Amino acid sequence: LTDRIQKLANANVPRAFVKLLEGATSSATQDKLLEAMGRMATEPSVRGLMIQQGCLTTCLQLDRGEKPNEEEKKLLRRARSCVAKLLVTTNPGILTVSQRLGSVGPLLKLVKDNDALDLMHFEALLSLTNLAGFDDETKNRVVAQKGVPILSYAMFSDHERVRQAATEAMCNMVGNQEFMDHLAKPDNLRVWVAFSLDYEVNFGCASAALGGLA
């Protein structure tokens, strides 16, 4: 499967997806194209090529509706999930400023989406961790998009790996003044201390919380 995906990427198939998506008039066609793009993005070795061929920018451009209907919500969820998959392992340094900062909002919306799968939440949080660790400008964008309360809420997910990923994303906000103010509040600090002591139940989450406190 990996070889097949790599051959498709090298044959400029992602660029073809982008062109088809830009010209698609039916939501059913858009849905299938986004599904195919998302499946391709599961292969880490082609994510850079997919970004170069326009997949990330196209997915971000779809995320502009203020009040989407149910059909549009499904398409947006697919597009945001594709953004998440593309950015899990991609070096933020290869992105343009507009791509890097423009990805923050859609990823936070995916984390906040109660109808999204736990895997989608997990991948979005990993991508936010990756982006937030890059520079202060990206941290500021997370704050501007009300990301601190969204990430804080995700720390209480029923899914263990989502909780850990949310905690790690919060850790990468260290250094941002608004995040530090959030952490300094007694109730929030108690939560982080409790998470750091929960190593017998969720060692990864406890380690992340301890790292944030340190």
Side-chain angles (χ1 to χ4, degrees):
L1 182 60
T2 297
D3 288 345
R4 193 181 311 151
I5 291 175
Q6 288 173 341
K7 286 177 181 176
L8 289 169
N10 288 324
N12 291 331
V13 169
R15 183 170 284 119
F17 284 158
V18 167
K19 292 295 182 186
L20 290 168
L21 199 52
E22 288 172 348
T25 54
S26 79
S27 57
T29 302
Q30 289 178 313
D31 183 62
K32 287 301 177 186
L33 286 166
L34 287 168
E35 182 181 4
M37 206 180 283
R39 289 187 178 182
M40 229 179 158
T42 59
E43 172 51 47
S45 64
V46 304
R47 289 169 183 162
L49 268 176
M50 290 182 70
I51 291 170
Q52 287 175 21
Q53 293 178 35
C55 293
L56 177 61
T57 298
T58 298
C59 286
L60 294 178
Q61 287 171 344
L62 290 173
D63 210 317
R64 288 181 177 170
E66 288 299 318
K67 294 182 179 178
N69 58 37
E70 289 305 312
E71 202 169 61
E72 290 167 340
K73 284 179 183 177
K74 183 181 176 183
L75 291 175
L76 285 172
R77 192 174 298 122
R78 280 209 190 276
R80 291 165 184 167
S81 178
C82 189
V83 171
K85 289 178 187 297
L86 287 169
L87 298 180
V88 168
T89 56
T90 298
N91 177 5
I94 72 166
L95 305 176
T96 65
V97 174
S98 61
Q99 285 176 330
R100 189 172 69 253
L101 299 183
S103 297
V104 171
L107 290 171
L108 287 170
K109 288 174 185 174
L110 185 57
V111 173
K112 197 168 64 168
D113 185 353
N114 291 327
D115 293 323
L117 300 173
D118 284 330
L119 177 61
M120 293 179 177
H121 292 153
F122 178 65
E123 290 173 336
L125 288 163
L126 291 181
S127 292
L128 285 165
T129 302
N130 186 24
L131 294 176
F134 182 71
D135 63 3
D136 290 339
E137 188 177 21
T138 310
K139 288 183 177 69
N140 291 337
R141 178 56 65 93
V142 172
V143 168
Q145 296 283 335
K146 305 198 183 324
V148 172
I150 292 172
L151 296 176
S152 183
Y153 183 79
M155 288 174 64
F156 293 93
S157 168
D158 292 333
H159 196 284
E160 184 177 302
R161 295 186 72 187
V162 172
R163 287 201 305 274
Q164 180 179 338
T167 306
E168 290 172 350
M170 289 284 268
C171 286
N172 271 15
M173 292 295 294
V174 168
N176 177 273
Q177 189 56 53
E178 186 157 331
F179 170 74
M180 301 307 288
D181 291 343
H182 167 86
L183 190 58
K185 293 177 181 176
D187 286 348
N188 295 332
L189 190 57
R190 276 194 287 271
V191 167
W192 278 71
V193 171
F195 270 55
S196 70
L197 296 174
D198 199 26
Y199 57 89
E200 289 186 359
V201 176
N202 189 343
F203 181 78
C205 189
S207 297
L210 192 59
L213 290 171

